[in-house]
Amino acid sequence: MSTIAIVVIALAFDYTNGFHDAANAIATSVSTRALTPRAALGMAAVMNLAGAFAGEQVAKTVGKGIIDAPQGNQGLVIVAAALCGAITWNMITWYFGLPSSSTHALIGGLVGGALAASETVKWDGVFEKVVIPMIISPLIGFGVAYLLMVAILWAFRRRNPHKVTRGFRVAQTVSAAAMAFGHGLQDAQKTMGLIVMALVVGGYQTGYDVPFWVTLSAALAISAGTYAGGWRIMRTLGRRIIELDPPRGFAAEATAASVLYSTAFVFHAPVSTTHTITSSILGVGSTKRLTAVRWGVAGNIVSAWVLTIPAAAMVSALSYGLMSVLFL
């Protein structure tokens, strides 16, 4: 299998990641009318592009910290199978409007492909860099968003509600941009990591540093996908979980962006932007009253979260079985 083919498939995944996860960055600001949909998508695409250039530690985690891909054609087939698993799950959840994790779909794809090929999965890395952040980041998002929203309600309790709403609608343009930057910082790097892995197993480079052309191509692909928009998922995040107002939208976005920055820069962990923003929305929504949150919708989303890694792993394993017949 050609390394060039892997790069093309990886960029196709990056594009699906962009339109699948566009809602993560802008659903709240669109639903509160802080930004028009097209303006929000344009801003998100630009900030995704900028965020992709902000680091490469998450890319290195994905590239060398999850599986030990063998050199040569078999390693390339494993990477291709992982991408097929991730793309398939992205498209299924997009069709049903479920904000699932492209990150965990990719990790599941890598694990499934490696297991099908009887290659080494670095379970310590999976546990430390994926499983623990997968559990902790939504809890932190929920708790911090709840507390921030309580602080906002207390701080502005005697202010004119209309003026407060107008002020936070303006502030949301900043928080939405910060969220989009965090999405580029986290999610574009995962595709970079896969491309670098393909270059290493294909014999084109020895280390896991990310070449500039890889960063640029991944940044452009995810930005183009983001601008294409993911309206099905946007409706779920922006309207179906809870009716958001500008203060709650700001609190959710500010919290989620903070979690994305800290996990990327401090822990180098590939966390899910979807999990982070969804849990933050649930946190700010709970300050209204618990019944204001549509917990049935939230339950469907969590079910998709639980299924993501095993489902993508299964598709990846099946893809590896087919590709091994064709290419090995």
Side-chain angles (χ1 to χ4, degrees), residues 92-246:
I92 290 171
T93 50
W94 167 81
Y95 179 81
F96 289 104
L98 291 173
S100 70
S101 170
S102 297
T103 300
H104 296 146
L106 190 58
I107 300 300
L110 284 170
V111 171
L115 291 176
S118 300
E119 296 294 340
T120 302
V121 176
K122 298 179 180 179
W123 293 111
D124 287 346
V126 172
F127 185 73
E128 292 175 7
K129 296 295 187 179
V130 180
V131 175
I132 290 178
M134 179 175 67
I135 296 170
I136 292 178
S137 60
L139 296 176
I140 293 175
F142 183 95
V144 172
Y146 180 90
L147 293 175
L148 178 58
M149 192 61 225
V150 169
I152 289 172
L153 290 171
W154 186 85
F156 293 93
R157 67 191 185 280
R158 293 195 176 97
R159 301 288 183 88
N160 183 297
H162 296 293
K163 290 183 178 179
V164 170
T165 297
R166 282 200 303 271
F168 275 102
R169 194 165 276 140
V170 174
Q172 262 200 281
T173 61
V174 177
S175 61
M179 182 66 202
F181 186 91
H183 181 242
L185 171 68
Q186 274 282 347
D187 283 36
Q189 284 197 56
K190 294 150 195 172
T191 299
M192 296 176 208
L194 259 290
I195 294 175
V196 169
M197 181 188 293
L199 294 174
V200 170
V201 300
Y204 288 93
Q205 70 177 62
T206 54
Y208 285 85
D209 291 331
V210 183
F212 176 78
W213 71 265
V214 173
T215 302
L216 179 62
S217 58
L220 290 172
I222 199 170
S223 295
T226 299
Y227 191 70
W231 303 108
R232 291 172 184 264
I233 295 174
M234 205 174 298
R235 283 191 289 270
T236 299
L237 278 180
R239 297 173 185 172
R240 291 181 61 201
I241 296 176
I242 188 173
E243 294 294 331
L244 289 167
D245 53 27

